[in-house]
Amino acid sequence: MDMKKPFELRVKPIKNGTVIDHITANRSLNVLNILGLPDGRSKVTVAMNMDSSQLGSKDIVKIENRELKPSEVDQIALIAPRATINIVRDYKIVEKAKVRLMDEVRGILRCPNPNCITNSDEGVENRFYVISEEPVLLRCYYCERLIEADEIESQF
Amino acid sequence: MFENVISIKDFKREDIEFILREAEKMEPFASGEKSSSALRGKILGMMFYEPSTRTRLSFETAMKRLGGDVVGFADTGATSAVKGESLADTAMMLSAYSDAIVIRHNLEGAARYISDVVDVPVINAGDGAGQHPTQTLLDLYTMKRFFGRIGSLRVALVGDLKYGRTVHSLAYALAVFGASMSFVSPPVLRMPDNIIHDLRRAGVEVKETERLDDVIDEVDVLYVTRIQKERFPDPEEYSRIRGAYHIDGSTVADRDLIVMHPLPRIDEISPEVDSLPQAMYFRQAFYGVPVRMALLRLLISERRGSENQKIV
């Protein structure tokens, strides 16, 4: 009987779509959360704690048949500042970019200050200035409180 | 130069210096020695969701000394806020009736939010434990007026540094001027870490201590704040702490310093200090008028093309 070649299940290439690489280890589920995934349609592969020459270990997220724009993914820099975005067409990487936080982060975080206007029933959208990218440090546009990395992570 | 007065952090040192110079020009008008109609026909809208005596009255005085008038409320009990009207709706309504809005609110960020909603200038008269920029400007004005400078002053902030919004704004501003600061408070009322963090990022070294004696011989300004009884579950603890930060005649006698206080004072400064040359707090309260006059004139007449551009 022929010896069967073992299946290589990990890190299977995708034909078309987006690969988010170099995600800080064990943060991929939070990354999905930020991207609004799973959405009931997209085929998503998640790999956690993979070996990485740069990071020691890392997570990888692959989304098939969907090309994410940098503006859609930049906010994941909040929790995975080293992440890279690869756009894949016909098994080839046609575009590669590093995530970068914009000057402002809107909508996805809550201000940890309970007395901030954004936590009242006025219906004010959250808005934070990016003071530094790594380590992440934000300032609430409204109450001016500083928000540090651990407070951001605890929200996901 | 600026459209609103929301946070002292929005102001560069030159802006603050300019406002303080303008305030000095307002003094004879603030005291009633001269009269002005610079803002005749203009209306200031006042939204006070929290109690205030000095801030509200000095804004009213400032507006009236410039020939303008005020409308608004000092107590939400008589307004539609009790019916559940939103802050934004109330502000929109008032902005249609007035040329500028002054707001005090219990929530931090309320003034910033309102300034994005309405198209008249907005002045923050205190938002929760956040900012109180006009108080800071009058504090700076008091120091500048007495010493002729701010930059090289040594200022001790004393008392409740945790909840007291005046000391938060003031610490930022003093950092901009390069004044040296010491923070004197019981451990439970320390200056919040994120403010100390900000000051250190700005390259300012601050000294923290629990004991007034550690700093009293090396300061030009004692900035005293009220320690509120309700911050202490244990009344004994409260009275011990209250005693430790109490200023009386012997604390300041023969010392070359001034005593400031944003007021109201309860008993952290003995009345016997009032008549000493070091007592500056009532003068400081008066300076609220020229400083707010300068701001109102800059915000209203210069922005909205008043016919009465001239100050006299």
Side-chain angles (χ1 to χ4, degrees), chain A residues 113-118 120 122-124 127 129 131-132 137 139 141-146 148, chain B residues 7 9 85-88 106-110 112-113 116 127-129 131 172 194 197-198 201:
Chain A
N113 172 10
N115 209 37
C116 177
I117 184 85
T118 57
S120 71
E122 278 287 324
V124 184
R127 190 169 162 190
Y129 291 123
I131 307 282
S132 99
L137 186 65
R139 186 191 295 287
Y141 168 81
Y142 293 100
C143 74
E144 303 187 354
R145 189 185 186 288
L146 288 173
E148 294 178 68
Chain B
S7 166
K9 285 189 208 147
E85 186 178 50
S86 73
L87 180 59
N106 53 308
L107 292 174
E108 286 126 48
R112 178 80 67 193
Y113 171 54
D116 290 340
D127 58 339
Q131 291 274 326
Y172 280 116
N194 82 78
H197 182 278
D198 269 4
R201 276 170 65 91

Side-chain angles (χ1 to χ4, degrees), chain B residues 244-257:
Chain B
Y245 299 97
H246 182 74
I247 311 287
D248 60 20
S250 66
T251 324
V252 298
D254 303 324
R255 285 199 162 95
D256 193 13
L257 53 77

